[in-house]
Amino acid sequence: VEKELFRIALPVTMNRLSHTLLRTCCSVLIPLRLCARGLSHAEAISRMGMLNGMVMPMIFLPGMFTGALGTVSIPAVAKQREKGEKQRLTLRLLLTAAMVGGGCWGLLFAVAPLIGGKIYGLPEVGDLLRVMSPMAMLLSVQQVLGGIMMGEGLQRKAFFASLGGALTTLLLTYLWTASSMGIYGAGYANMTGHLITLGWCLVSFFRHNQKRP
């Protein structure tokens, strides 16, 4: 029993650790690469604060619901024994996550200029939020899919997908933030990494289900 618990817990723990390390590395890397682009240290820190302190909290808003949905999906999927019922449940969960994330994407895209101009007094925040608004949907579906995969016992596959996305984000942050894109490069790097993680998880999940009798 202890070995089984360790086998299940290790990939989950490593997944959390990789996300923490990614955020730490990006927090160090973004201002350094912005400075390499020609910004002063104060300007670089200000740009990073705009991304991490103003835009990302808005992007994470649907996670209040989809994070909880992903958590409850673990036992819900695990206890389903009949393949047809499990597939229908999985489809309902993913569609719900897509609708919530898609709704937040549209809402953030629409109100981004208001948030940037009226609330923060920085039109650049609205521009960056509008560019990154699709990430709300990516994160929503990814959170729920992660719960479904844990319910299916696919923790290791989810970890490798997350690790691949994290390393991609780190590499693209290094390359794009010092380019003409500036802080937008960091935003695009984040979205690309999450897109890779989501795509990897979807492929792994559907391949697993095709192999099942």
Side-chain angles (χ1 to χ4, degrees):
V1 176
E2 290 181 357
K3 288 183 178 180
E4 182 66 17
L5 288 174
F6 181 77
R7 185 186 67 81
I8 294 172
L10 182 60
V12 178
T13 303
M14 294 301 294
N15 196 359
R16 301 284 185 182
L17 182 61
S18 68
H19 279 288
T20 302
L21 289 174
L22 171 66
R23 286 195 297 268
T24 303
C25 290
C26 283
S27 295
V28 174
L29 189 60
I30 289 172
L32 290 176
R33 299 304 290 165
L34 287 174
C35 287
R37 182 174 177 262
L39 273 66
S40 68
H41 184 70
E43 288 174 322
I45 294 296
S46 174
R47 296 282 177 173
M48 188 184 70
M50 185 174 73
L51 173 65
N52 291 341
M54 299 178 187
V55 172
M56 292 307 293
M58 298 289 178
I59 301 296
F60 288 139
L61 280 176
M64 292 186 295
F65 175 77
T66 55
L69 185 62
T71 300
V72 300
S73 69
I74 299 173
V77 170
K79 72 179 183 181
Q80 291 291 339
R81 300 301 178 190
E82 202 272 314
K83 185 176 180 180
E85 284 296 323
K86 183 171 287 191
Q87 289 177 340
R88 284 189 287 273
L89 174 61
T90 298
L91 183 60
R92 286 199 301 270
L93 289 168
L94 291 177
L95 284 176
T96 301
M99 286 190 294
V100 171
C104 287
W105 172 7
L107 179 63
L108 290 173
F109 187 88
V111 303
L114 177 64
I115 293 174
K118 300 297 183 180
I119 296 178
Y120 290 116
L122 294 169
E124 300 95 330
V125 173
D127 295 339
L128 185 58
L129 179 58
R130 178 166 275 184
V131 165
M132 294 190 66
S133 58
M135 192 170 166
M137 184 170 180
L138 294 178
L139 285 171
S140 297
V141 178
Q142 186 181 323
Q143 282 181 317
V144 174
L145 181 58
I148 294 171
M149 292 182 71
M150 289 180 66
E152 289 273 33
L154 301 176
Q155 293 90 344
R156 288 186 63 186
K157 293 184 182 296
F159 164 66
F160 285 117
S162 180
L163 182 62
L167 292 175
T168 301
T169 298
L170 199 59
L171 174 63
L172 294 181
T173 297
Y174 179 85
L175 295 174
W176 289 350
T177 308
S179 72
S180 59
M181 290 188 285
I183 194 63
Y184 289 89
Y188 285 125
N190 253 294
M191 287 194 291
T192 304
H194 282 287
L195 183 61
I196 288 174
T197 298
L198 178 59
W200 192 330
C201 284
L202 285 170
V203 170
S204 298
F205 176 74
F206 285 113
R207 280 183 177 176
H208 169 76
N209 276 274
Q210 286 175 353
K211 293 177 182 178
R212 295 184 59 178

